[in-house]
């Protein structure tokens, strides 16, 4: 069983919708990363957070340490946001463990 | 300028062969990583080096041997390739191996073992 669980696995939205992707982890972590993998395969780091909330453009990431849960929100979604979004938790010993990813498709 | 580069981008080879994948970063980072992404798109860490020293070595067959000639390079050599080694291999780097360090990924190397 993976120590990092993401939901949903697949998500289809209409352009303009507000999107939430969830990530939960089993034990205490040092930090949590959100990554975006483009259809072409390239991986980009979106956020690294250990507490609170971060915002970059239309993307917002939050983390609740007590509940061992993080969310990635996309406001005013656009077809170019279509990608796989992956959360990864940094456990002790600098070991980054990945969730299975959420395939997001935003239709025009 | 490419921050983290990998060569080759595609590698097709026969079972039993030995092959290498190279990774270079020009970001001045101290830590480099190798990840494997399987056919289900699941990423898993394989190795991590900090200043040429191995710091993470997950449960990986010893047919896989990373080599770091200097802190800007982390190569992955695979002996006696098997069908199950087919995957996309990603290299990444970060300033350090600590909490606050964003990882920068290379473009990936798609390995196909026939």
């Amino acid at each position: 069983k993976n120590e990092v669980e993401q939901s949903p696995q697949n998500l289809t939205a209409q352009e303009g919708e507000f999107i939430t992707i969830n990530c939960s982890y089993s034990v205490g972590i040092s930090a949590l990363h959100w990554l975006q993998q483009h259809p072409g395969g390239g991986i980009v780091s979106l956020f690294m957070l250990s507490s609170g909330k971060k915002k970059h453009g239309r993307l917002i990431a939050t983390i609740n340490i007590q509940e061992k849960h993080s969310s990635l929100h996309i406001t005013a979604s656009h077809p170019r946001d279509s990608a796989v979004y992956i959360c990864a938790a940094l456990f002790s010993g600098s070991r980054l463990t990945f969730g299975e990813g959420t395939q997001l498709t935003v239709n025009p | 300028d490419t921050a983290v580069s990998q060569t080759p981008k595609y590698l097709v080879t026969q079972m039993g062969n030995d092959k290498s994948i190279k990774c270079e970063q020009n970001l001045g980072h101290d830590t480099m990583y190798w990840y494997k992404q399987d056919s289900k798109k699941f990423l898993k860490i394989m190795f991590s080096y900090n200043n040429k020293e191995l710091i993470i070595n997950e449960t990986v067959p010893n047919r896989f041997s990373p080599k770091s000639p200097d802190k800007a390079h982390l190569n992955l050599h695979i002996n006696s390739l098997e069908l199950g080694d087919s995957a996309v291999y990603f290299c990444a780097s970060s300033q350090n191996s600590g909490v606050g360090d964003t990882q920068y990924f290379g473009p990936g190397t798609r390995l196909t073992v026939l």
Side-chain angles (χ1 to χ4, degrees):
Chain A
K1 186 180 185 302
N2 197 21
E3 297 168 276
V4 179
E5 300 283 341
Q6 271 186 249
S7 62
Q9 264 191 315
N10 292 283
L11 181 55
T12 301
Q14 287 301 121
E15 185 172 355
E17 284 184 4
F18 181 82
I19 286 161
T20 297
I21 299 170
N22 296 300
C23 177
S24 59
Y25 47 91
S26 55
V27 294
I29 61 171
S30 305
L32 189 127
H33 295 251
W34 280 101
L35 309 170
Q36 180 192 52
Q37 186 166 26
H38 297 290
I43 297 175
V44 174
S45 180
L46 298 174
F47 295 104
M48 194 286 304
L49 65 166
S50 52
S51 65
K53 175 178 167 178
K54 286 191 176 180
K55 185 175 190 293
H56 182 71
R58 295 179 295 105
L59 301 177
I60 303 166
T62 63
I63 188 167
N64 184 317
I65 300 294
Q66 286 74 26
E67 294 186 5
K68 299 186 180 63
H69 180 267
S70 177
S71 293
L72 177 68
H73 305 285
I74 305 175
T75 61
S77 59
H78 190 276
R80 66 173 175 265
D81 297 327
S82 298
V84 176
Y85 293 84
I86 304 167
C87 76
L90 185 64
F91 292 96
S92 62
S94 303
R95 181 170 58 92
L96 199 60
T97 300
F98 296 84
E100 294 189 1
T102 295
Q103 173 70 62
L104 172 65
T105 303
V106 181
N107 294 318
Chain B
D1 285 342
T2 305
V4 182
S5 59
Q6 291 179 231
T7 54
K9 192 166 171 140
Y10 300 96
L11 183 53
V12 180
T13 188
Q14 299 282 343
M15 269 175 52
N17 284 349
D18 303 338
K19 290 292 178 187
S20 292
I21 307 171
K22 296 187 176 182
C23 179
E24 177 181 2
Q25 53 93 5
N26 62 7
L27 297 166
H29 287 167
D30 286 342
T31 305
M32 296 184 72
Y33 311 82
W34 276 110
Y35 295 97
K36 179 180 180 181
Q37 187 173 45
D38 62 25
S39 58
K40 295 182 180 177
K41 304 289 188 183
F42 185 61
L43 271 162
K44 191 167 182 182
I45 189 164
M46 300 174 71
F47 301 103
S48 174
Y49 270 70
N50 180 266
N51 267 319
K52 303 194 298 174
E53 298 291 328
L54 181 67
I55 57 171
I56 293 175
N57 184 355
E58 290 292 300
T59 308
V60 174
N62 57 14
R63 298 181 294 103
F64 290 78
S65 52
K67 286 189 172 49
S68 183
D70 53 62
K71 73 175 193 178
H73 295 85
L74 181 61
N75 303 323
L76 184 64
H77 188 77
I78 315 169
N79 288 328
S80 303
L81 278 155
E82 299 178 358
L83 293 176
D85 298 331
S86 296
V88 180
Y89 292 84
F90 286 95
C91 175
S93 73
S94 63
Q95 183 60 58
N96 294 299
S97 58
V99 172
D101 295 307
T102 299
Q103 294 192 19
Y104 295 81
F105 285 79
T109 295
R110 182 174 293 278
L111 171 65
T112 303
V113 182
L114 303 175

